[in-house]
């Protein structure tokens, strides 16, 4: 597996940055690893909600098509 360096710029306020730094210290991680971990959790949560939304939409469409028949 080839691993590359990804450079990003994230604008966050000082309060949020401080809270992330404190979480990193508490869990003995670097700031960057903690930020990556939090982004990963957020992304996974987003995908779960996204999938559930479309499952509900499919159920609604099925029930509407069954009512029309």
């Amino acid at each position: 597996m080839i691993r590359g360096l990804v450079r990003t710029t994230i604008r966050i306020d000082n309060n949020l940055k401080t809270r992330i730094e404190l979480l990193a210290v508490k869990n003995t991680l670097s700031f960057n690893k903690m930020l990556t971990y939090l982004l990963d959790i957020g992304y996974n949560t987003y995908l779960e909600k996204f999938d559930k939304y479309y499952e509900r939409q499919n159920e609604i469409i099925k029930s509407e098509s069954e009512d029309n028949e």
Side-chain angles (χ1 to χ4, degrees):
M1 180 169 101
I2 298 173
R3 203 165 170 198
L5 182 64
V6 177
R7 294 184 185 267
T8 59
T9 302
I10 298 176
R11 297 182 129 199
I12 56 176
D13 66 346
N14 287 335
N15 186 21
L16 181 59
K17 182 179 177 185
T18 302
R19 291 181 359 207
I20 294 171
E21 286 173 345
L22 291 173
L23 273 174
V25 169
K26 182 178 179 182
N27 293 300
T28 61
L29 293 172
S30 69
F31 176 78
N32 287 337
K33 286 185 180 180
M34 179 56 75
L35 191 58
T36 303
Y37 175 70
L38 292 173
L39 288 170
D40 189 38
I41 289 173
Y43 179 72
N44 289 332
T45 303
Y46 169 78
L47 286 180
E48 289 172 9
K49 289 183 179 182
F50 186 78
D51 290 341
K52 288 179 184 177
Y53 170 78
Y54 279 101
E55 286 174 8
R56 281 182 283 174
Q57 293 301 319
N58 286 337
E59 290 174 5
I60 291 170
I61 291 170
K62 285 180 185 178
S63 66
E64 287 176 353
S65 66
E66 288 174 357
D67 290 342
N68 289 337
E69 292 176 357

